[in-house]
């Protein structure tokens, strides 16, 4: 798949809430996942490798009591990169309900996502 096709498939899977399937299908074994600087202690941070990304996703899902909604914009594609705006309205264990909005940037090589990076306001989620 080219970058446009990978981006379209990721958007399709994210809109359906199928994040685990997206990772299995679209990510390279050596992909990296980068979070914003300044995360609080104990937060899920940067990881390398598909297995580590899947574990990070599992831990994130365990922190959620209820998913209320998920939204994903159309992708903006430029060469081997694309970005989407992702929204997640969820109730987190011990934190209450948070309406998260983030920009997600991806790099594609040889038909697989090799890099994901998330941009959101660490100090004030949902603003």
């Amino acid at each position: 798949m080219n970058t446009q096709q990978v981006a379209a498939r990721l958007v399709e899977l994210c809109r359906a809430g199928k994040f685990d399937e997206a990772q299995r299908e679209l990510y390279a074994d050596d992909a990296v996942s980068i979070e914003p600087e300044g995360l609080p202690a104990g937060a899920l941070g940067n990881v390398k490798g598909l297995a580590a990304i899947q574990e990070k996703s599992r831990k994130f899902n365990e922190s959620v009591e209820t998913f209320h909604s998920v939204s994903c914009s159309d992708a903006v594609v430029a060469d081997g990169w694309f970005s989407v705006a992702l929204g997640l309205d969820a109730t987190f264990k011990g934190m209450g309900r948070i309406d998260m909005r983030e920009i997600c940037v991806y790099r594609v090589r040889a038909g697989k996502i090799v890099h994901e990076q998330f941009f959101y306001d660490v100090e004030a989620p949902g603003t």
Side-chain angles (χ1 to χ4, degrees):
M1 287 193 284
N2 65 30
T3 302
Q4 183 68 50
Q5 292 165 322
V6 171
R9 181 67 176 148
L10 182 75
V11 167
E12 175 186 4
L13 292 169
C14 287
R15 286 178 176 165
K18 298 180 178 180
F19 299 102
D20 294 338
E21 184 176 336
Q23 291 169 350
R24 285 191 307 273
E25 181 181 327
L26 300 174
Y27 283 55
D29 288 339
D30 62 347
V32 297
S33 178
I34 309 297
E35 295 289 338
E37 291 184 23
L39 291 174
L44 305 172
N46 303 340
V47 297
K48 181 175 181 176
L50 180 56
I53 291 171
Q54 290 171 322
E55 177 64 11
K56 179 176 154 180
S57 182
R58 184 189 67 73
K59 288 180 180 177
F60 177 82
N61 288 334
E62 284 180 352
S63 74
V64 176
E65 287 180 16
T66 306
F67 287 99
H68 303 288
S69 67
V70 174
S71 64
C72 185
S73 71
D74 291 336
V76 176
V77 179
D79 293 327
W81 294 85
F82 71 94
S83 64
V84 297
L86 185 67
L88 173 67
D89 179 11
T91 300
F92 290 84
K93 295 175 184 172
M95 296 173 51
R97 190 167 179 170
I98 298 174
D99 189 15
M100 296 176 56
R101 301 285 177 237
E102 61 188 327
I103 298 295
C104 312
V105 178
Y106 302 89
R107 186 172 196 179
V108 176
R109 285 194 183 144
K112 294 287 185 179
I113 293 171
V114 296
H115 180 103
E116 68 177 9
Q117 188 164 0
F118 305 109
F119 298 89
Y120 54 90
D121 189 346
V122 173
E123 294 176 7
T127 61

